[in-house]
Amino acid sequence: MDLREKSFADTVRDIAAEGVVLLENNGVLPLTEDRKRIALYGAGAVLTRKGGTGSGDVSVEHVTNIVEALEEAGFEITTKSWLSDYEERIEKSETERFDRMKAEAAATGDPLMSVFLRNPQILVDGAELPRFAEKIDDETAVYIISRISGECADREALPGDYFLTEREKEHLKALVENYEDVVVVLNTGGVLDTGFYREIEGLSAMIFISQAGVACGTVLADVFSGRAVPSGKLTSTWARNYSDYPASGSFRDNTGNDKFYEEGIYVGYRYFDSFGIEPAYAFGYGKSYTDFSWEVCGIKADEEEIRLIVDVTNTGSLYCGKEVLQVYTSSPAGSLDKPWQELRGFEKTELLAPGETQRVTIVWETRSMASYCEEKAAYILEAGQYLVRLGNSSRNTEAVAAIELDETVVTERLRNRLAPCQALKECRPREYERETMEKAVPVYKIYAGNFKPAAEPYQESTKTASDKSYEKDCCTYEDVKAGAASPKTLVSQLSAEEMAALCVGAGAIGNGAVIGSAAIKVPGAAGETTSALYEKWKIPTAVLADGPAGLRLILRYQVRNADNSVVVPPTGFLALTGFERLSGKQPEEENCRYVEQKTTAIPIGSMMAQTWNPQAIRQVGQIVSAEMNQYGVHIWLAPAINIHRDPLCGRNFEYYSEDPLLAGICAATMTRGIQSVPGFGVTVKHFAANSQEENRFDQNSVVSERALREIYLKGFEKVVKEADPLMLMTSYNLINGVHAANNRELLKDILRTEWGFRGAVVTDWGTTRNGMRAGFGGKTRSLPEKCISSGNDLIMPGDVRDREEILSAIESGELSMEDLRTCAANLIRNLQRLCL
Ligand code: BGC
């Protein structure tokens, strides 16, 4: 590790403990100085998961697993023989898996990548544990449960995934008989059924270390030793029973393409709280090694904003810690159903020493409490009392104030968009009793008359496009860059062929492979924009590479000494951990040298959100942009901000939360972190209502306009309005019958007109199915010409057929030159923002 890599790894390590959620602790943690002997068991001890699979993976040379990390931190591992036996079991099972995949690829002819993605690693049982005659009390038993998931497949509500296997349960039962102290560690990307913790008596603590990238092992050593204090809070509800989740009944049922979002706005805690269901661990929950108290010392409320000033004190005597103060509000009953409570804001303290107090201020806009009324096509703040609840988890709050509004007020006038074209029966909570306040809370009166008049983004534009700009004589991108010509002017000179080339990624130049062989700039990057217009128009190429778990590039590749050209392996540069074992090592060519691209695996998205610390997220963003700078990547394909609708979504680990406000804040902070340095941009994905992996190309999310606006689009709206992301990626799925990439209401009306998005819109990879070989699933597709007419500016990775289909639509009159010009100009404007 060179110094720079080490400093990035250290930053991740310092931040990681802030995303660790301490679920249970009877006082055994942190392990005191005299408790250095650990009886370590469980799959994740050796097979520690740093993150998930697929495009949300990052290639790294070595992952320091939990065994190594604990030993480095000075712990003695007393169960080495059990662990090495487990390693042998894994190797045996992996050999069988790769043999099976090779046979499957030969039999089906499917691309190796698709075979690889549909054959995830199997969880192997560890050896049975002996029962000792007497309990051991000078060792702490630590049991690591790990799970992994990723793109293309959802998780399953089965043992080995959402549930513990019988063997895992047997192990835990043996451990409580053998040891005084038993700590359970969850090294998973998301929710697991934790019923075992209630069933098996004698467990001492449970800690959710999630998947911390380069710090996946060290973070546990740090929180065990007390070098760091866990201060993470859950960003999704952990239910007592999987069937408690409102979408659980139909989530895995893909017999048809329609997915009815019958729970409407009642997602996550909004559902559990409104329907009176007790979760195992609530949204916002997480313990510390110490305790905190808090006291409101000031409230200010008017028609603009509400401001809560709170003193937070570490009331413990031994350990430092950080607390997250959260504010929820309950809206008055009115003409619209309302969730029992909704998150409005939060603040995390600094590290407080025992006895230390910090003053924090939590602020939110008054109009952010409005609900969307489909009938009026407007956000309305209904008359009545808005109860303000303050606490350190969604289930541990106290009412501290009430905001009373005299009359209903319209805060934003919109137009009805994206209405479901099929009947959708949404569930409604029973009428719940308003909390009877034990102690009187101060009431702050606000008045409808004092609100600013509601904005209306759909005003007819008085500006007419000046045709003059199209008349200007020859200019190139260099003139645009110098400010001497506008993107529109440049575009006006391009032929339809040239614009179609610009709006289709560089895959179109070569042979239709993921990366056209004529155009590889950064091996392992997910794609490039075209370089075909460079010679004549000086239009530069932008390189796009995945996230969100760091910068996903190939770790090592060969370059020919003679001409510095890159040697392309027959399967392309896929940058998927373990793939080389299937594809075979690339043969060494003569007269070549190796080039390395080492990037930092950062904690998975949900873990970043679990820090509830925007400052930490920003810092991690700066690591990614430094690496983009080093390797020549311009656009990061992250953050990913889809909503955790159900815990079984295979990519929830990439996404932040079940709550759109939290997801939006995380995404906006990450965006600011990356884009703080000119020359780099993010791509916020996947827009929108993309809640599952299986059947992802054909799945049609049937969802109400209100649920879309309040839940599934809200986080995107926040990041667009507050952080100005360079790009947005449309999702594969359909929304109310229309593919996201072909959805004019989504892209033109909502994204651009209502929210004022000035970035570029890019498709997800292969959504037009052109250039996608058999074996990748998907029966329906977005049409390239409709991408253009709907405002999806760039089609990736791009294929010659995308270009041809656009051009024949222009010829037939189905697609207008004006629409093509608009997309081309959007792209040029955003290349310019990258300082290219
Ligand atoms: C994923 C995207 C990713 C893209 C490029 C797609 O399969 O859905 O999230 O950015 O591939 O790798």
Side-chain angles (χ1 to χ4, degrees):
M1 238 191 220
D2 66 26
L3 271 183
R4 209 182 63 111
E5 283 168 60
K6 176 146 183 357
S7 94
F8 289 167
D10 287 346
T11 305
V12 170
R13 180 175 176 182
D14 288 342
I15 287 164
E18 295 211 24
V20 169
V21 183
L22 183 60
L23 296 169
E24 302 280 354
N25 187 14
N26 69 356
V28 65
L29 296 179
L31 299 175
T32 47
E33 267 306 304
D34 55 337
R35 299 203 62 88
K36 288 284 180 203
R37 285 163 61 75
I38 291 185
L40 186 63
Y41 297 100
V46 284
L47 204 62
T48 310
R49 301 296 191 180
K50 73 175 197 314
T53 61
S55 58
D57 185 11
V58 168
S59 323
V60 295
E61 194 122 68
H62 173 73
V63 176
T64 303
N65 68 18
I66 286 175
V67 182
E68 292 165 327
L70 289 178
E71 285 189 325
E72 268 168 37
F75 290 98
E76 183 193 341
I77 307 298
T78 60
T79 47
K80 283 297 204 37
S81 63
W82 189 92
L83 294 167
S84 45
D85 171 73
Y86 192 70
E87 264 179 307
E88 280 164 25
R89 289 168 183 244
I90 297 170
E91 186 40 43
K92 183 167 171 285
S93 146
E94 280 294 87
T95 307
E96 285 165 10
R97 178 170 76 110
F98 279 95
D99 288 347
R100 238 187 355 262
M101 284 194 282
K102 281 174 196 157
E104 188 180 321
T108 59
D110 285 351
L112 287 182
M113 180 171 99
S114 126
V115 174
F116 183 71
L117 289 174
R118 65 179 180 239
N119 282 285
Q121 193 171 10
I122 290 165
L123 184 70
V124 185
D125 273 344
E128 271 183 58
L129 301 187
R131 307 272 164 141
F132 306 146
E134 273 182 31
K135 273 199 179 187
I136 298 180
D137 62 3
D138 66 340
E139 290 178 25
T140 307
V142 175
Y143 194 79
I144 321 284
I145 298 169
S146 74
R147 298 287 188 267
I148 194 159
S149 72
E151 187 166 4
C152 294
D154 289 313
R155 297 178 55 197
E156 296 195 85
L158 292 174
D161 194 343
Y162 190 78
F163 293 94
L164 262 53
T165 61
E166 280 311 310
R167 179 59 60 88
E168 285 172 325
K169 283 193 206 163
E170 273 167 32
H171 282 161
L172 288 174
K173 285 179 191 156
L175 290 180
V176 293
E177 283 181 27
N178 289 347
Y179 298 88
E180 281 296 334
D181 295 325
V182 182
V183 177
V184 182
V185 176
L186 308 180
N187 169 220
T188 70
V191 185
L192 199 75
D193 181 83
T194 51
F196 68 88
Y197 201 90
R198 297 183 292 277
E199 284 154 22
I200 302 173
E201 254 176 61
L203 296 170
S204 323
M206 180 157 66
I207 187 158
F208 176 38
I209 60 164
S210 184
Q211 297 173 333
V214 69
C216 61
T218 47
V219 75
L220 184 64
D222 288 346
V223 295
F224 270 3
S225 67
R227 177 185 179 269
V229 182
S231 61
K233 303 276 178 182
L234 295 178
T235 61
S236 279
T237 306
W238 287 41
R240 288 178 87 86
N241 305 296
Y242 172 62
S243 57
D244 290 345
Y245 291 105
S248 58
S250 59
F251 188 80
R252 292 297 314 253
D253 175 10
N254 290 313
T255 38
N257 292 333
D258 294 333
K259 266 291 149 82
F260 294 91
Y261 283 41
E262 287 173 348
E263 71 283 6
I265 55 169
Y266 297 99
V267 177
Y269 68 88
R270 286 170 168 76
Y271 175 79
F272 284 77
D273 297 346
S274 309
F275 287 73
I277 299 168
E278 193 63 34
Y281 300 104
F283 174 83
Y285 169 84
K287 283 167 166 294
S288 175
Y289 289 156
T290 186
D291 293 312
F292 298 90
S293 70
W294 48 91
E295 199 185 342
V296 177
C297 44
I299 300 178
K300 206 181 137 282
D302 59 31
E303 291 75 11
E304 286 274 309
E305 64 173 34
I306 300 159
R307 185 173 282 266
L308 211 62
I309 303 161
V310 186
D311 278 348
V312 190
T313 304
N314 177 348
T315 55
S317 56
L318 277 180
Y319 300 106
C320 297
K322 293 187 173 193
E323 183 56 293
V324 180
L325 268 289
Q326 304 158 37
V327 172
Y328 300 80
T329 64
S330 299
S331 301
S335 64
L336 299 175
D337 275 1
K338 310 274 174 35
W340 192 72
Q341 62 174 352
E342 292 174 274
L343 181 73
R344 295 298 173 212
F346 59 88
E347 248 342 284
K348 189 168 196 169
T349 66
E350 301 296 327
L351 192 68
L352 299 181
E356 193 179 347
T357 297
Q358 186 191 339
R359 179 157 292 187
V360 299
T361 305
I362 304 168
V363 188
W364 68 102
E365 276 186 282
T366 311
R367 36 177 250 135
S368 71
M369 300 190 297
S371 309
Y372 186 72
C373 171
E374 291 171 355
E375 225 172 80
K376 295 197 167 94
Y379 273 99
I380 59 170
L381 207 50
E382 294 202 89
Q385 277 204 352
Y386 292 76
L387 211 54
V388 178
R389 304 169 187 280
L390 174 69
N392 66 350
S393 89
S394 61
R395 291 277 172 140
N396 183 34
T397 61
E398 194 189 14
V400 293
I403 315 293
E404 196 170 288
L405 174 65
D406 59 341
E407 275 172 39
T408 297
V409 50
V410 173
T411 56
E412 198 178 359
R413 273 181 213 289
L414 299 167
R415 302 219 173 141
N416 285 119
R417 298 290 182 232
L418 299 173
C421 45
Q422 298 168 63
L424 172 66
K425 197 172 171 315
E426 287 188 327
C427 64
R428 298 191 64 178
R430 57 177 171 69
E431 285 301 309
Y432 54 83
E433 289 282 307
R434 294 265 138 197
E435 178 175 348
T436 38
M437 281 172 267
E438 283 153 30
K439 63 172 194 191
V441 293
V443 178
Y444 296 82
K445 296 203 182 230
I446 55 173
Y447 302 94
N450 292 344
F451 277 80
K452 285 196 190 125
E456 151 73 289
Y458 286 96
Q459 306 289 3
E460 292 319 322
S461 168
T462 45
K463 278 193 259 161
T464 49
S466 131
D467 277 348
K468 257 196 184 160
S469 58
Y470 291 125
E471 285 160 16
K472 198 165 174 218
D473 282 350
C474 196
C475 71
T476 68
Y477 179 81
E478 277 173 356
D479 300 302
V480 176
K481 202 174 157 189
S486 72
K488 237 176 163 185
T489 310
L490 172 55
V491 159
S492 69
Q493 303 164 98
L494 303 185
S495 65
E497 286 74 11
E498 286 169 327
M499 285 191 283
L502 184 61
C503 294
V504 173
I509 296 173
N511 52 13
V514 171
I515 297 169
S517 48
I520 290 169
K521 290 208 162 34
V522 182
E528 293 176 15
T529 60
T530 187
S531 53
L533 305 187
Y534 183 74
E535 220 176 281
K536 183 167 172 201
W537 300 107
K538 297 284 171 280
I539 297 177
T541 304
V543 178
L544 303 88
D546 263 309
L551 194 62
R552 190 169 76 96
L553 299 178
I554 202 91
L555 203 54
R556 194 169 290 108
Y557 61 95
Q558 298 173 58
V559 169
R560 296 183 187 90
N561 292 333
D563 58 0
N564 283 331
S565 61
V566 172
V567 181
V568 185
T571 45
F573 290 114
L574 290 175
L576 295 172
T577 303
F579 182 68
E580 208 178 65
R581 187 160 171 186
L582 181 64
S583 64
K585 214 170 158 30
Q586 193 191 350
E588 271 187 36
E589 276 200 22
E590 276 183 20
N591 297 323
C592 281
R593 62 182 189 281
Y594 276 98
V595 177
E596 288 195 326
Q597 304 179 114
K598 292 192 183 169
T599 61
T600 308
I602 63 174
I604 56 172
S606 53
M607 187 174 191
M608 288 309 310
Q610 280 163 206
T611 67
W612 294 65
N613 182 349
Q615 188 50 35
I617 295 175
R618 196 185 159 97
Q619 250 176 294
V620 167
Q622 283 163 342
I623 294 180
V624 176
S625 57
E627 293 179 343
M628 289 166 76
N629 187 22
Q630 180 175 3
Y631 296 116
V633 174
H634 309 106
I635 303 169
W636 194 41
L637 299 174
I641 69 164
N642 295 97
I643 292 294
H644 294 171
R645 175 176 178 241
D646 186 276
L648 296 190
C649 170
R651 290 182 88 173
N652 273 359
F653 72 96
E654 295 186 49
Y655 309 147
Y656 293 121
S657 175
E658 67 186 21
D659 182 81
L661 173 72
L662 182 57
I665 291 175
C666 294
T669 320
M670 187 58 101
T671 300
R672 283 190 217 105
I674 302 276
Q675 297 191 172
S676 60
V677 187
F680 304 102
V682 301
T683 307
V684 186
K685 67 190 187 184
H686 310 86
F687 194 50
N690 173 205
S691 315
Q692 68 175 61
E693 281 304 291
E694 273 157 35
N695 196 28
R696 62 182 182 161
F697 291 102
D698 297 326
Q699 189 263 127
N700 177 28
S701 302
V702 182
V703 50
S704 72
E705 186 184 356
R706 179 174 178 200
L708 278 169
R709 289 190 182 273
E710 289 188 17
I711 307 289
Y712 297 99
L713 302 184
K714 203 57 170 188
F716 289 98
E717 179 176 359
K718 193 163 180 67
V719 59
V720 164
K721 287 184 172 169
E722 294 176 11
D724 192 15
L726 187 98
M727 277 198 176
L728 215 87
M729 185 193 290
T730 43
S731 51
Y732 290 129
N733 55 288
L734 297 86
I735 304 170
N736 292 326
V738 184
H739 274 284
N742 286 174
N743 205 318
R744 203 187 162 95
E745 292 195 3
L746 179 72
L747 303 179
K748 290 212 165 171
D749 297 342
I750 294 183
L751 178 64
R752 294 214 185 260
T753 307
E754 292 183 12
W755 303 349
F757 180 62
R758 65 174 190 133
V761 179
V762 56
T763 63
D764 199 345
W765 267 229
T767 192
T768 60
R769 319 304 295 142
N770 284 330
M772 298 292 281
R773 285 159 293 172
F776 279 97
K779 296 186 184 67
T780 64
R781 66 186 193 117
S782 302
L783 300 176
E785 63 276 21
K786 283 209 171 151
C787 287
I788 302 299
S789 61
S790 312
N792 191 124
D793 309 305
L794 178 62
I795 297 166
M796 288 302 284
D799 183 86
V800 278
R801 276 159 288 184
D802 291 323
R803 222 165 49 193
E804 286 162 8
E805 286 177 33
I806 291 173
L807 289 174
S808 57
I810 290 275
E811 240 165 67
S812 69
E814 239 175 288
L815 176 66
S816 75
M817 279 295 274
E818 197 46 47
D819 280 340
L820 188 53
R821 278 194 198 110
T822 304
C823 291
N826 280 341
L827 284 171
I828 293 195
R829 198 171 305 114
N830 284 286
L831 289 174
Q832 208 188 344
R833 281 175 72 191
L834 287 171
C835 312
L836 286 171

